[in-house]
Short mmCIF file of all heavy atoms in Angstrom, two decimals:
data_model
loop_
_atom_site.label_atom_id
_atom_site.label_comp_id
_atom_site.label_asym_id
_atom_site.label_seq_id
_atom_site.Cartn_x
_atom_site.Cartn_y
_atom_site.Cartn_z
N LEU A 1 62.98 -158.72 366.32
CA LEU A 1 62.80 -160.17 366.16
C LEU A 1 63.32 -160.94 367.37
O LEU A 1 62.98 -162.10 367.57
CB LEU A 1 63.51 -160.68 364.90
CG LEU A 1 62.89 -160.31 363.57
CD1 LEU A 1 63.74 -160.85 362.43
CD2 LEU A 1 61.47 -160.82 363.46
N CYS A 2 64.13 -160.29 368.18
CA CYS A 2 64.72 -160.91 369.37
C CYS A 2 63.86 -160.67 370.61
O CYS A 2 64.28 -161.00 371.73
CB CYS A 2 66.13 -160.38 369.60
SG CYS A 2 67.22 -160.62 368.19
N ALA A 3 62.69 -160.11 370.43
CA ALA A 3 61.83 -159.76 371.56
C ALA A 3 61.39 -160.99 372.34
O ALA A 3 61.11 -162.04 371.77
CB ALA A 3 60.60 -159.01 371.07
N SER A 4 61.32 -160.81 373.64
CA SER A 4 60.71 -161.80 374.52
C SER A 4 59.44 -161.19 375.08
O SER A 4 59.46 -160.07 375.60
CB SER A 4 61.66 -162.15 375.67
OG SER A 4 60.99 -162.96 376.62
N THR A 5 58.34 -161.92 374.96
CA THR A 5 57.06 -161.44 375.47
C THR A 5 56.57 -162.32 376.61
O THR A 5 55.38 -162.33 376.92
CB THR A 5 56.02 -161.39 374.34
OG1 THR A 5 55.89 -162.70 373.79
CG2 THR A 5 56.42 -160.41 373.26
N GLN A 6 57.49 -163.04 377.21
CA GLN A 6 57.14 -163.99 378.26
C GLN A 6 56.52 -163.31 379.48
O GLN A 6 55.59 -163.83 380.07
CB GLN A 6 58.38 -164.78 378.66
CG GLN A 6 58.09 -165.96 379.55
CD GLN A 6 59.33 -166.82 379.73
OE1 GLN A 6 60.45 -166.36 379.54
NE2 GLN A 6 59.12 -168.05 380.09
N LYS A 7 57.04 -162.16 379.86
CA LYS A 7 56.53 -161.46 381.05
C LYS A 7 55.85 -160.16 380.64
O LYS A 7 56.42 -159.37 379.89
CB LYS A 7 57.69 -161.12 381.99
CG LYS A 7 58.29 -162.31 382.69
CD LYS A 7 59.36 -161.82 383.65
CE LYS A 7 59.93 -162.97 384.43
NZ LYS A 7 60.97 -162.51 385.36
N GLY A 8 54.68 -159.95 381.16
CA GLY A 8 53.99 -158.68 380.95
C GLY A 8 53.62 -158.42 379.50
O GLY A 8 53.55 -159.32 378.68
N ASN A 9 53.40 -157.15 379.21
CA ASN A 9 52.96 -156.74 377.87
C ASN A 9 53.96 -155.88 377.13
O ASN A 9 53.73 -155.53 375.98
CB ASN A 9 51.62 -155.99 377.99
CG ASN A 9 50.53 -156.89 378.49
OD1 ASN A 9 50.41 -158.02 378.06
ND2 ASN A 9 49.74 -156.40 379.44
N ARG A 10 55.05 -155.53 377.78
CA ARG A 10 56.09 -154.76 377.11
C ARG A 10 57.19 -155.73 376.70
O ARG A 10 57.82 -156.36 377.55
CB ARG A 10 56.67 -153.69 378.02
CG ARG A 10 57.75 -152.87 377.32
CD ARG A 10 58.39 -151.89 378.23
NE ARG A 10 57.35 -150.96 378.70
CZ ARG A 10 57.57 -149.74 379.08
NH1 ARG A 10 58.79 -149.27 379.09
NH2 ARG A 10 56.60 -148.96 379.48
N PRO A 11 57.45 -155.87 375.40
CA PRO A 11 58.50 -156.79 374.97
C PRO A 11 59.86 -156.41 375.56
O PRO A 11 60.18 -155.23 375.71
CB PRO A 11 58.52 -156.63 373.45
CG PRO A 11 57.18 -156.08 373.10
CD PRO A 11 56.79 -155.22 374.27
N SER A 12 60.63 -157.41 375.88
CA SER A 12 61.99 -157.22 376.36
C SER A 12 62.95 -157.54 375.23
O SER A 12 62.77 -158.53 374.52
CB SER A 12 62.26 -158.14 377.55
OG SER A 12 63.64 -158.13 377.86
N TYR A 13 63.97 -156.71 375.08
CA TYR A 13 64.96 -156.91 374.01
C TYR A 13 66.33 -157.25 374.58
O TYR A 13 67.34 -157.02 373.92
CB TYR A 13 65.02 -155.67 373.13
CG TYR A 13 63.68 -155.31 372.55
CD1 TYR A 13 62.95 -154.24 373.04
CD2 TYR A 13 63.13 -156.09 371.54
CE1 TYR A 13 61.70 -153.93 372.52
CE2 TYR A 13 61.88 -155.79 371.02
CZ TYR A 13 61.18 -154.72 371.51
OH TYR A 13 59.94 -154.42 371.00
N VAL A 14 66.38 -157.80 375.78
CA VAL A 14 67.66 -158.10 376.42
C VAL A 14 68.46 -159.14 375.65
O VAL A 14 69.68 -159.20 375.77
CB VAL A 14 67.50 -158.54 377.90
CG1 VAL A 14 66.90 -157.42 378.72
CG2 VAL A 14 66.71 -159.82 378.02
N ARG A 15 67.81 -159.97 374.84
CA ARG A 15 68.52 -160.98 374.05
C ARG A 15 69.17 -160.39 372.80
O ARG A 15 70.03 -161.02 372.19
CB ARG A 15 67.58 -162.11 373.64
CG ARG A 15 67.11 -162.94 374.81
CD ARG A 15 66.38 -164.16 374.33
NE ARG A 15 65.05 -163.77 373.85
CZ ARG A 15 64.06 -164.63 373.66
NH1 ARG A 15 64.24 -165.91 373.88
NH2 ARG A 15 62.89 -164.20 373.23
N ALA A 16 68.74 -159.21 372.38
CA ALA A 16 69.28 -158.60 371.16
C ALA A 16 70.75 -158.22 371.37
O ALA A 16 71.11 -157.63 372.38
CB ALA A 16 68.47 -157.37 370.77
N SER A 17 71.56 -158.57 370.40
CA SER A 17 72.98 -158.23 370.45
C SER A 17 73.14 -156.71 370.29
O SER A 17 72.34 -156.06 369.63
CB SER A 17 73.71 -158.96 369.33
OG SER A 17 75.09 -158.71 369.41
N ARG A 18 74.17 -156.19 370.86
CA ARG A 18 74.40 -154.75 370.83
C ARG A 18 75.57 -154.39 369.92
O ARG A 18 76.48 -155.18 369.70
CB ARG A 18 74.74 -154.25 372.24
CG ARG A 18 73.69 -154.55 373.28
CD ARG A 18 72.59 -153.48 373.29
NE ARG A 18 71.69 -153.64 374.42
CZ ARG A 18 70.50 -154.22 374.32
NH1 ARG A 18 70.07 -154.69 373.18
NH2 ARG A 18 69.72 -154.32 375.38
N GLY A 19 75.52 -153.17 369.43
CA GLY A 19 76.64 -152.50 368.80
C GLY A 19 77.46 -153.24 367.77
O GLY A 19 76.92 -153.83 366.84
N GLU A 20 78.76 -153.16 367.97
CA GLU A 20 79.71 -153.64 366.98
C GLU A 20 79.55 -155.11 366.63
O GLU A 20 79.69 -155.49 365.47
CB GLU A 20 81.14 -153.37 367.45
CG GLU A 20 81.49 -151.90 367.47
CD GLU A 20 82.90 -151.65 367.95
OE1 GLU A 20 83.70 -152.60 368.02
OE2 GLU A 20 83.21 -150.49 368.26
N GLN A 21 79.26 -155.95 367.62
CA GLN A 21 79.09 -157.38 367.33
C GLN A 21 77.89 -157.60 366.40
O GLN A 21 77.97 -158.36 365.44
CB GLN A 21 78.90 -158.19 368.60
CG GLN A 21 78.72 -159.68 368.28
CD GLN A 21 78.26 -160.51 369.46
OE1 GLN A 21 77.83 -159.97 370.48
NE2 GLN A 21 78.33 -161.81 369.32
N ALA A 22 76.78 -156.92 366.67
CA ALA A 22 75.60 -157.09 365.84
C ALA A 22 75.84 -156.59 364.42
O ALA A 22 75.45 -157.24 363.45
CB ALA A 22 74.41 -156.36 366.47
N ILE A 23 76.49 -155.44 364.30
CA ILE A 23 76.79 -154.90 362.97
C ILE A 23 77.69 -155.86 362.20
O ILE A 23 77.45 -156.15 361.02
CB ILE A 23 77.43 -153.50 363.07
CG1 ILE A 23 76.42 -152.50 363.62
CG2 ILE A 23 77.96 -153.03 361.72
CD1 ILE A 23 77.01 -151.17 364.02
N ALA A 24 78.72 -156.37 362.85
CA ALA A 24 79.64 -157.30 362.18
C ALA A 24 78.92 -158.57 361.73
O ALA A 24 79.15 -159.05 360.61
CB ALA A 24 80.80 -157.65 363.12
N LEU A 25 78.04 -159.11 362.56
CA LEU A 25 77.33 -160.34 362.18
C LEU A 25 76.30 -160.07 361.09
O LEU A 25 76.10 -160.92 360.20
CB LEU A 25 76.67 -160.98 363.40
CG LEU A 25 77.63 -161.70 364.34
CD1 LEU A 25 76.91 -162.18 365.59
CD2 LEU A 25 78.30 -162.87 363.63
N TYR A 26 75.66 -158.92 361.12
CA TYR A 26 74.74 -158.56 360.04
C TYR A 26 75.50 -158.45 358.72
O TYR A 26 75.08 -158.99 357.70
CB TYR A 26 74.02 -157.25 360.37
CG TYR A 26 73.17 -156.73 359.23
CD1 TYR A 26 71.98 -157.35 358.90
CD2 TYR A 26 73.57 -155.64 358.49
CE1 TYR A 26 71.20 -156.89 357.85
CE2 TYR A 26 72.80 -155.16 357.44
CZ TYR A 26 71.61 -155.79 357.13
OH TYR A 26 70.86 -155.33 356.08
N ASP A 27 76.64 -157.77 358.75
CA ASP A 27 77.47 -157.65 357.54
C ASP A 27 77.95 -159.03 357.06
O ASP A 27 77.95 -159.30 355.86
CB ASP A 27 78.67 -156.74 357.79
CG ASP A 27 78.28 -155.27 357.93
OD1 ASP A 27 77.14 -154.89 357.54
OD2 ASP A 27 79.10 -154.50 358.46
N ASP A 28 78.35 -159.90 358.00
CA ASP A 28 78.74 -161.27 357.64
C ASP A 28 77.59 -162.00 356.97
O ASP A 28 77.78 -162.70 355.97
CB ASP A 28 79.17 -162.07 358.88
CG ASP A 28 80.54 -161.68 359.40
OD1 ASP A 28 81.31 -161.03 358.66
OD2 ASP A 28 80.84 -162.04 360.56
N PHE A 29 76.39 -161.85 357.53
CA PHE A 29 75.22 -162.51 356.95
C PHE A 29 74.97 -162.03 355.52
O PHE A 29 74.75 -162.83 354.62
CB PHE A 29 73.98 -162.25 357.82
CG PHE A 29 72.71 -162.67 357.16
CD1 PHE A 29 72.37 -164.02 357.09
CD2 PHE A 29 71.87 -161.73 356.58
CE1 PHE A 29 71.20 -164.42 356.45
CE2 PHE A 29 70.71 -162.12 355.95
CZ PHE A 29 70.36 -163.46 355.88
N VAL A 30 75.00 -160.72 355.31
CA VAL A 30 74.75 -160.17 353.97
C VAL A 30 75.80 -160.68 352.99
O VAL A 30 75.47 -161.09 351.87
CB VAL A 30 74.70 -158.63 354.01
CG1 VAL A 30 74.70 -158.04 352.60
CG2 VAL A 30 73.47 -158.16 354.78
N ARG A 31 77.07 -160.69 353.39
CA ARG A 31 78.13 -161.22 352.51
C ARG A 31 77.93 -162.70 352.21
O ARG A 31 78.06 -163.13 351.06
CB ARG A 31 79.50 -161.00 353.14
CG ARG A 31 80.07 -159.60 352.94
CD ARG A 31 81.54 -159.52 353.33
NE ARG A 31 81.77 -159.76 354.75
CZ ARG A 31 81.71 -158.84 355.69
NH1 ARG A 31 81.42 -157.59 355.37
NH2 ARG A 31 81.93 -159.14 356.95
N ALA A 32 77.61 -163.47 353.24
CA ALA A 32 77.42 -164.92 353.05
C ALA A 32 76.22 -165.20 352.15
O ALA A 32 76.26 -166.09 351.30
CB ALA A 32 77.26 -165.61 354.40
N LEU A 33 75.14 -164.45 352.32
CA LEU A 33 73.96 -164.65 351.48
C LEU A 33 74.25 -164.25 350.04
O LEU A 33 73.87 -164.95 349.11
CB LEU A 33 72.76 -163.87 352.04
CG LEU A 33 71.43 -164.10 351.35
CD1 LEU A 33 71.06 -165.57 351.29
CD2 LEU A 33 70.33 -163.30 352.05
N SER A 34 74.95 -163.16 349.87
CA SER A 34 75.33 -162.73 348.52
C SER A 34 76.18 -163.81 347.83
O SER A 34 75.95 -164.13 346.66
CB SER A 34 76.10 -161.41 348.59
OG SER A 34 76.49 -161.00 347.31
N ALA A 35 77.13 -164.38 348.55
CA ALA A 35 77.96 -165.45 347.98
C ALA A 35 77.13 -166.67 347.66
O ALA A 35 77.32 -167.32 346.62
CB ALA A 35 79.09 -165.80 348.95
N ALA A 36 76.18 -167.01 348.52
CA ALA A 36 75.36 -168.21 348.33
C ALA A 36 74.42 -168.09 347.14
O ALA A 36 74.14 -169.09 346.47
CB ALA A 36 74.57 -168.51 349.60
N ILE A 37 73.94 -166.88 346.86
CA ILE A 37 73.01 -166.71 345.73
C ILE A 37 73.70 -166.21 344.47
O ILE A 37 73.08 -166.16 343.41
CB ILE A 37 71.81 -165.81 346.10
CG1 ILE A 37 72.27 -164.39 346.39
CG2 ILE A 37 71.03 -166.41 347.26
CD1 ILE A 37 71.12 -163.39 346.60
N GLY A 38 74.95 -165.78 344.61
CA GLY A 38 75.70 -165.36 343.44
C GLY A 38 75.33 -164.00 342.89
O GLY A 38 75.56 -163.72 341.71
N LYS A 39 74.77 -163.15 343.73
CA LYS A 39 74.45 -161.78 343.30
C LYS A 39 74.37 -160.89 344.52
O LYS A 39 74.21 -161.37 345.64
CB LYS A 39 73.17 -161.71 342.46
CG LYS A 39 71.91 -162.14 343.16
CD LYS A 39 70.63 -161.77 342.42
CE LYS A 39 70.32 -162.58 341.22
NZ LYS A 39 68.97 -162.30 340.67
N PRO A 40 74.45 -159.58 344.33
CA PRO A 40 74.40 -158.66 345.47
C PRO A 40 73.07 -158.74 346.22
O PRO A 40 72.03 -159.03 345.63
CB PRO A 40 74.55 -157.28 344.83
CG PRO A 40 75.16 -157.53 343.49
CD PRO A 40 74.67 -158.88 343.06
N VAL A 41 73.15 -158.47 347.50
CA VAL A 41 71.97 -158.39 348.37
C VAL A 41 71.76 -156.93 348.72
O VAL A 41 72.66 -156.29 349.28
CB VAL A 41 72.18 -159.24 349.65
CG1 VAL A 41 71.05 -159.00 350.65
CG2 VAL A 41 72.29 -160.72 349.31
N ALA A 42 70.60 -156.41 348.39
CA ALA A 42 70.26 -155.04 348.79
C ALA A 42 70.01 -155.05 350.29
O ALA A 42 69.61 -156.07 350.86
CB ALA A 42 69.01 -154.58 348.03
N ASN A 43 70.26 -153.94 350.95
CA ASN A 43 70.03 -153.93 352.39
C ASN A 43 69.66 -152.55 352.90
O ASN A 43 69.83 -151.55 352.21
CB ASN A 43 71.25 -154.49 353.15
CG ASN A 43 72.53 -153.82 352.79
OD1 ASN A 43 72.67 -152.63 352.99
ND2 ASN A 43 73.46 -154.56 352.24
N GLY A 44 69.16 -152.56 354.13
CA GLY A 44 68.85 -151.33 354.82
C GLY A 44 70.09 -150.80 355.49
O GLY A 44 71.22 -151.20 355.16
N VAL A 45 69.91 -149.92 356.46
CA VAL A 45 71.02 -149.34 357.21
C VAL A 45 70.86 -149.78 358.66
O VAL A 45 69.83 -149.50 359.30
CB VAL A 45 71.04 -147.80 357.11
CG1 VAL A 45 72.11 -147.21 358.00
CG2 VAL A 45 71.22 -147.38 355.67
N PHE A 46 71.85 -150.48 359.17
CA PHE A 46 71.78 -151.01 360.53
C PHE A 46 71.50 -149.88 361.52
O PHE A 46 72.17 -148.86 361.52
CB PHE A 46 73.09 -151.70 360.90
CG PHE A 46 73.00 -152.47 362.18
CD1 PHE A 46 72.70 -153.82 362.17
CD2 PHE A 46 73.21 -151.85 363.40
CE1 PHE A 46 72.59 -154.53 363.34
CE2 PHE A 46 73.10 -152.55 364.58
CZ PHE A 46 72.79 -153.89 364.55
N GLY A 47 70.46 -150.05 362.34
CA GLY A 47 70.12 -149.09 363.38
C GLY A 47 69.33 -147.88 362.93
O GLY A 47 68.93 -147.06 363.75
N ALA A 48 69.10 -147.74 361.63
CA ALA A 48 68.36 -146.58 361.13
C ALA A 48 66.86 -146.76 361.34
O ALA A 48 66.36 -147.88 361.46
CB ALA A 48 68.65 -146.38 359.64
#
């Protein structure tokens, strides 16, 4: 979803966050969404 297609035909993913920061923010998002809706959020596996 962070792809840039501005140049050429191969998407660039340089804007995508890497590693631990991305995992932490994804986990924060899932927790925040679960709290906002009042029920668990099912999820995939980061990086799988």
Side-chain angles (χ1 to χ4, degrees):
L1 288 178
C2 303
S4 172
T5 58
Q6 191 171 21
K7 290 183 176 180
N9 295 317
R10 181 184 299 207
S12 170
Y13 303 106
V14 297
R15 293 189 285 196
S17 184
R18 303 275 189 260
E20 291 180 14
Q21 180 191 13
I23 293 168
L25 285 174
Y26 173 73
D27 290 343
D28 285 344
F29 169 76
V30 169
R31 279 192 295 274
L33 186 54
S34 179
I37 65 173
K39 62 167 74 172
V41 171
N43 53 61
V45 175
F46 190 94

